[in-house]
Amino acid sequence: EDQVTQSPEALRLQEGESSSLNCSYTVSGLRGLFWYRQDPGKGPEFLFTLYSAGEEKEKERLKATLTKKESFLHITAPKPEDSATYLCAVQRAGFQKLVFGTGTRLLVSP
Amino acid sequence: NAGVTQTPKFRILKIGQSMTLQCTQDMNHNYMYWYRQDPGMGLKLIYYSVGAGITDKGEVPNGYNVSRSTTEDFPLRLELAAPSQTSVYFCASSYSGGGYQETQYFGPGTRLLVL
């Protein structure tokens, strides 16, 4: 069974304090690993898709990386507006279904 | 281009009542999905559709029904509401075809409370 585990559950940072969120996964034949951002009371907002080990993608202060067992979302010099829940999901090759982790709640204090 | 829209935003139901959650997308996506999100749990797939007239069960389909008569709309029906169906419901859509598959894009959600 495909599984996604995200850690930590919650993370509190000071503005400018860089850190990383972890997404560990097991899947039979990875088609893609997805990162979403979710603000309170809103739907998940797409950030990145990673397809193969070694791939990296960046967007502003966020950088996502992928290995054969896990993905990291690195946040460099975060700002309060980066506060949100970050969701990781995997998709098995040949399937449409996404399997989601429970998310990491990030709070960035000024 | 509104993306994925959902109505209503919030609803309170009594046990045993029925309702339909509406979902519409204007991106001409062929795939549409319904997820539920409970506190401390990841999003769980309820039903999905690969195109008009074709639907299939996800992980947690019990207590729900769907239909897809058009490309744009994918309503979710609760026939006999139960407290266990208290949740936030998200609709999503994506395009898949010719070996190409896009990301799933989500709507803003419907918060449902069953009392």
Side-chain angles (χ1 to χ4, degrees):
Chain A
E1 184 181 336
D2 302 337
Q3 278 193 313
V4 176
T5 302
Q6 292 188 246
S7 61
E9 287 187 14
L11 180 63
R12 185 164 190 158
L13 300 173
Q14 290 294 121
E15 185 172 1
E17 179 187 1
S18 301
S19 188
S20 297
L21 313 182
N22 178 263
C23 171
S24 298
Y25 66 91
T26 55
V27 63
S28 300
L30 179 71
R31 191 253 165 203
L33 184 141
F34 300 80
W35 282 100
Y36 287 85
R37 169 192 171 128
Q38 187 174 24
D39 293 299
K42 302 282 183 68
E45 176 189 345
F46 171 70
L47 292 173
F48 304 108
T49 308
L50 301 167
Y51 295 102
S52 57
E55 187 174 2
E56 298 182 353
K57 288 193 176 173
E58 288 187 65
K59 180 180 180 180
E60 296 181 357
R61 295 175 293 281
L62 300 177
K63 178 180 176 181
T65 61
L66 181 65
T67 72
K68 289 187 177 180
K69 293 183 178 180
E70 57 192 350
S71 176
F72 291 94
L73 185 65
H74 306 277
I75 303 177
T76 302
K79 298 182 177 182
E81 52 261 42
D82 294 321
S83 297
T85 296
Y86 291 85
L87 302 174
C88 173
V90 296
Q91 186 176 42
R92 189 193 296 186
F95 288 78
Q96 288 295 326
K97 170 185 157 181
L98 291 179
V99 176
F100 280 87
T102 53
T104 292
R105 294 190 316 275
L106 174 67
L107 178 62
V108 182
S109 303
Chain B
N1 191 338
V4 180
T5 57
Q6 294 182 238
T7 57
K9 290 184 180 180
F10 176 63
R11 180 80 181 266
I12 298 175
L13 278 184
K14 293 183 180 179
I15 294 172
Q17 285 185 321
S18 62
M19 77 164 293
T20 299
L21 284 66
Q22 302 290 346
C23 174
T24 300
Q25 55 92 9
D26 63 359
M27 297 175 282
N28 202 30
H29 285 169
N30 49 354
Y31 279 76
M32 295 187 75
Y33 314 80
W34 275 105
Y35 291 88
R36 61 178 286 172
Q37 186 177 40
D38 300 304
M41 306 285 287
L43 284 107
K44 300 293 184 185
L45 183 65
I46 305 171
Y47 271 96
Y48 68 100
S49 169
V50 303
I54 307 170
T55 62
D56 206 352
K57 296 178 180 178
E59 297 173 83
V60 289
N62 292 343
Y64 307 95
N65 280 299
V66 294
S67 60
R68 182 125 179 248
S69 56
T70 68
T71 300
E72 296 78 19
D73 300 304
F74 190 39
L76 178 71
R77 179 85 177 162
L78 282 70
E79 291 294 348
L80 290 169
S84 61
Q85 293 177 306
T86 292
S87 188
V88 182
Y89 293 85
F90 290 100
C91 180
S93 72
S94 67
Y95 176 78
S96 179
Y100 179 72
Q101 189 172 335
E102 284 187 5
T103 300
Q104 292 184 25
Y105 293 91
F106 286 78
T110 292
R111 184 168 164 241
L112 178 65
L113 181 59
V114 182
L115 299 174

